[in-house]
């Protein structure tokens, strides 16, 4: 895999580490799905492409571009190349729509995000631990804004469950984030801090503080998807870093104990059910209704291949003569199919598989564990959340995992060649 942008000179960046850390934190902030439903609990639409986010992403990209020296080198891992292919394919299909400007704007934002990651090869990605640390700091800052929201506007920070059951769920107000996003921030924070503690990359007190904050965010947001995806990611990280098959088999004992605790301890059981009945639980809070609608709709061959157009994230359900509801497609793979068709599903699925290959082949246990956590989270959460068709937080997790593991393998290869030449 040759560098995508060959240069003449490869010199260390003159910018301090905190500069690139700050840019990454702002970038992660810009890809969060800021939601208008935070201000209005009865709202039915969320803002995933707001003007503020676009301006923030553009400003971060321009600053990174200005700080990057001419003749810089970068490396594009295979998963990122596949996402570039996805963006180009979606751009081509957008011109077949009656109003292509909306999808093209979102795709331009996506492409800017990909190029931004390519610009960070020297200062962040080339040493994988730097990017992991930056990703951890970004989620710490997001978590801090959620905690500050409790002091800023406690009435808005607690979102009533209402139709889902009884009680409240924590959401972000300073940065408008619905409870599922708060749970995701807590899950990534807890997972990366726990791996850092086990691998001795973080001191005990800071690591325990981050783990506690992440656990509180998951529990207070009452987000089951984030808890399950985190458990799945940690399990895979544990399995992939065990040196023996006996150790890998023994790794199943810990999550099994946690699963039994959820079923046997009353308070955990109540948290898991969220006051929902059997019908709501079996339909995954109504998600399966829209899933069946997507799968059952008869479409033309062209629509099946290229989709209905990027941005069509909802399905209109009809009963008899009238419309009964407009529901979100809370599944990344069905959302990809609905928006950009089967070809896009194939491209993104291959990107995920290629990223997993990079994770499995990463030689450093710490980097491999972090990559497995992030990809495990994305793999599990994509079944119950949308995001892989956009420059979303889930897509960024996938790209980060692929980038750090690819860079780790390249670093190991260079060290091996240097050792051979020394002998």
């Amino acid at each position: 895999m040759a560098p995508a942008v060959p240069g003449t000179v490869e010199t260390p960046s003159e910018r301090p580490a905190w500069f690139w850390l700050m840019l990454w934190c702002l970038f992660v902030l810009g890809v969060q799905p800021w939601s208008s439903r935070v201000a209005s609990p009865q709202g039915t639409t969320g803002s995933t492409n707001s003007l503020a986010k676009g301006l923030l992403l553009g400003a971060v990209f321009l600053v990174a571009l200005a700080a990057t020296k001419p003749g810089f080198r970068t490396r594009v891992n295979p998963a990122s190349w596949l996402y570039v292919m996805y963006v180009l394919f979606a751009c081509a299909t957008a011109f077949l729509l009656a109003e292509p400007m909306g999808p093209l704007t979102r795709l331009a934002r996506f492409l800017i995000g990909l190029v931004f990651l390519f610009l960070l090869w020297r200062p962040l990605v080339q040493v994988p631990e730097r990017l992991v640390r930056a990703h951890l700091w970004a989620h710490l800052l997001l978590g801090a804004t959620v905690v500050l929201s409790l002091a800023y506007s406690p009435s808005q920070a607690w979102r009533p469950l209402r139709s889902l059951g009884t009680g409240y769920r924590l959401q972000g107000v300073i940065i408008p984030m619905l409870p599922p996003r708060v749970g995701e921030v807590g899950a990534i924070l807890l997972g990366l801090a726990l791996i850092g503690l086990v691998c001795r990359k973080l001191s005990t007190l800071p690591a325990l503080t981050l783990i506690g904050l992440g656990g509180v965010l998951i529990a207070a947001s009452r987000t089951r998807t984030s808890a399950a995806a985190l458990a799945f990611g940690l399990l895979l990280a544990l399995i992939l870093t065990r040196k023996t098959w006996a150790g890998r088999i023994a790794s199943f004992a810990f999550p099994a104990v946690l699963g039994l605790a959820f079923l046997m301890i009353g308070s955990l059981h109540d948290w898991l059910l969220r006051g929902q009945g059997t019908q709501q639980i079996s339909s995954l809070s109504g998600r399966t209704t829209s899933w069946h609608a997507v799968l059952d709709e008869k479409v033309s061959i062209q629509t099946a291949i290229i989709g209905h157009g990027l941005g069509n994230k909802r399905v209109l359900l009809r009963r008899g003569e009238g419309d009964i509801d407009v529901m979100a497609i809370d599944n990344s793979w069905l959302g990809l199919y609905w928006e950009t068709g089967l070809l896009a599903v194939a491209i993104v699925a291959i990107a995920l598989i290629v990223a997993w290959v990079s994770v499995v082949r990463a030689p450093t246990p710490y980097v491999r564990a972090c990559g497995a956590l992030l990809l495990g989270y994305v793999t599990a959460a994509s079944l119950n959340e949308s995001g892989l068709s956009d420059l979303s937080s889930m897509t960024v997790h996938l790209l980060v995992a692929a980038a750090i593991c690819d860079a780790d393998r390249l670093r190991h290869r260079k060290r091996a060649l240097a050792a051979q030449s020394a002998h």
Side-chain angles (χ1 to χ4, degrees), residues 203-234:
S203 301
T204 302
L205 183 59
L208 291 178
T209 302
L210 297 179
I211 291 170
L213 175 58
V216 167
L217 293 178
I218 296 173
S221 65
R222 304 184 74 170
T223 309
R224 296 171 298 202
T225 298
S226 295
L230 171 63
F232 183 68
L234 286 175

Side-chain angles (χ1 to χ4, degrees), residues 9 37 43 62 80 93 107 113 177 188 229 237 250-251 255 306 317-318 331 336 351 360 383 394 416:
V9 181
R37 292 173 61 190
L62 291 176
S80 296
T93 61
L107 291 167
M177 290 187 291
I188 300 301
S251 301
I306 67 173
L317 306 181
R318 300 178 183 274
N331 181 294
L336 266 169
V360 173
L383 302 177
M394 277 210 301

Side-chain angles (χ1 to χ4, degrees), residues 363-405:
T364 306
Y366 172 65
V367 176
R368 186 164 66 247
C370 290
L373 168 75
L374 294 173
L375 272 192
Y377 185 93
V378 170
T379 303
S382 65
L383 302 177
N384 219 31
E385 297 286 348
S386 59
L388 290 182
S389 60
D390 279 308
L391 183 64
S392 67
S393 55
M394 277 210 301
T395 305
V396 170
H397 297 329
L398 189 156
L399 294 174
V400 167
I404 61 175
C405 293

Side-chain angles (χ1 to χ4, degrees), residues 27-35 47-48 53 109 139 142 175-177 181 184-185 391-393 397:
F27 172 70
V28 172
L29 172 63
V31 302
Q32 296 300 313
W34 302 358
S35 178
S47 175
T48 57
K53 286 172 57 180
R109 176 176 172 269
H139 284 79
L142 287 174
I175 303 298
M177 290 187 291
R181 300 283 72 76
E184 178 184 329
V185 169
L391 183 64
S392 67
S393 55
H397 297 329

Side-chain angles (χ1 to χ4, degrees), residues 133-370:
R133 184 163 55 250
H135 209 49
L136 179 62
W137 268 100
H139 284 79
L140 172 60
L141 293 179
L142 287 174
T145 65
V146 176
V147 174
L148 291 175
S149 296
L150 289 170
Y152 173 74
S153 180
S155 60
Q156 281 189 297
W158 291 108
R159 184 182 185 85
L161 280 169
R162 295 187 180 177
S163 61
L164 293 180
T166 59
Y168 295 85
R169 303 178 68 185
L170 180 63
Q171 64 181 6
V173 178
I174 296 176
I175 303 298
M177 290 187 291
L178 289 174
R181 300 283 72 76
V182 173
E184 178 184 329
V185 169
I188 300 301
L189 189 61
L190 189 157
L192 291 179
L194 181 58
I195 292 174
L197 176 63
V198 173
C199 296
R200 299 181 181 180
K201 298 294 183 179
L202 291 174
S203 301
T204 302
L205 183 59
L208 291 178
T209 302
L210 297 179
I211 291 170
L213 175 58
V216 167
L217 293 178
I218 296 173
S221 65
R222 304 184 74 170
T223 309
R224 296 171 298 202
T225 298
S226 295
L230 171 63
F232 183 68
L234 286 175
L235 174 62
L236 291 177
L238 196 60
I239 292 173
L240 290 178
T241 51
R242 297 300 90 193
K243 295 182 179 180
T244 64
W245 278 106
R248 294 171 184 173
I249 294 173
S251 301
F252 284 98
F254 179 67
V257 171
L258 286 181
L260 289 175
F262 268 108
L263 295 175
M264 297 178 66
I265 299 177
S267 58
L268 294 177
H269 188 262
D270 292 339
W271 180 89
L272 185 65
L273 291 180
R274 278 196 332 217
Q276 293 181 326
T278 305
Q279 183 177 359
Q280 288 176 305
I281 293 291
S282 61
S283 65
L284 300 177
S285 301
R287 286 179 172 87
T288 57
T289 304
S290 60
W291 297 354
H292 289 310
V294 171
L295 294 172
D296 294 341
E297 186 187 45
K298 298 183 184 299
V299 297
S300 65
I301 296 178
Q302 176 179 321
T303 302
I305 294 175
I306 67 173
H308 294 77
L310 197 66
N312 290 297
K313 289 180 174 290
R314 294 171 178 267
V315 292
L316 185 65
L317 306 181
R318 300 178 183 274
R319 176 183 297 161
E321 297 296 328
D323 302 336
I324 61 168
D325 205 356
V326 178
M327 298 189 66
I329 308 171
D330 287 323
N331 181 294
S332 287
W333 303 105
L334 290 178
L336 266 169
Y337 163 70
W338 184 262
E339 290 185 277
T340 44
L342 291 172
L343 189 52
V345 172
I347 294 173
V348 175
I350 294 172
L352 181 63
I353 293 170
V354 168
W356 269 116
V357 172
S358 295
V359 168
V360 173
R361 297 177 64 189
T364 306
Y366 172 65
V367 176
R368 186 164 66 247
C370 290

